Amino acid sequence: MFRFKTGGVARLSGAVEADLRSRETGLESRNIRALSDICAGVLHCRSVNTSEIASVLPRTSKNDDSRYRVINRVLANERVDGVRVMGGFVPQWLN
C-alpha cells in the first residue's frame, strides 16, 4: 500500500486505516479512509483545531478550503456513527 511507504501523517493514517478495516465498524471504505486521515491529523497535531488538522491532512488538494470541506463532510456524515464505530473496539476491551 502506497500510504505505508511515505512518512509522517500519511504513515500514521495508513496504520489507523488498517486497524479500522480489521474491525466491525460498519463504515464504508471511503469513510474509513477519510476518518483515518482525520484521526492521524488529530494525533499528529495533538489538537482538534480544524485549521491545524487541515494543514497536515494527507490528501492531495489545491487549497485549504477543500481540506476543510473534507473534514466537515466526514464529521457531518450520518453514515459515520460514532457508537457503531466504537463498537468495533468492544471485543478488545472485554478481553
Side-chain angles (χ1 to χ4, degrees):
M1 179 185 286
F2 174 74
R3 296 170 72 125
F4 285 110
K5 294 180 182 176
T6 57
V9 180
R11 184 176 178 91
L12 181 58
S13 178
V16 172
E17 181 180 352
D19 188 51
L20 284 174
R21 287 188 189 280
S22 70
R23 299 175 186 273
E24 293 293 324
T25 59
L27 293 173
E28 296 176 359
S29 180
R30 64 178 173 246
N31 292 333
I32 289 176
R33 182 163 186 221
L35 192 59
S36 65
D37 287 346
I38 293 172
C39 288
V42 169
L43 291 171
H44 178 78
C45 294
R46 299 181 185 180
S47 170
V48 292
N49 184 340
T50 54
S51 62
E52 290 182 32
I53 297 168
S55 68
V56 299
L57 203 64
R59 298 249 171 164
T60 56
S61 60
K62 296 180 181 177
N63 55 24
D64 284 339
D65 287 338
S66 61
R67 293 171 187 251
Y68 287 121
R69 284 193 299 270
V70 167
I71 294 170
N72 289 331
R73 276 195 309 261
V74 171
L75 297 179
N77 191 345
E78 294 178 1
R79 293 181 181 162
V80 179
D81 181 15
V83 174
R84 188 168 180 192
V85 171
M86 292 308 294
F89 292 86
V90 170
Q92 179 181 354
W93 294 333
L94 293 177
N95 289 334

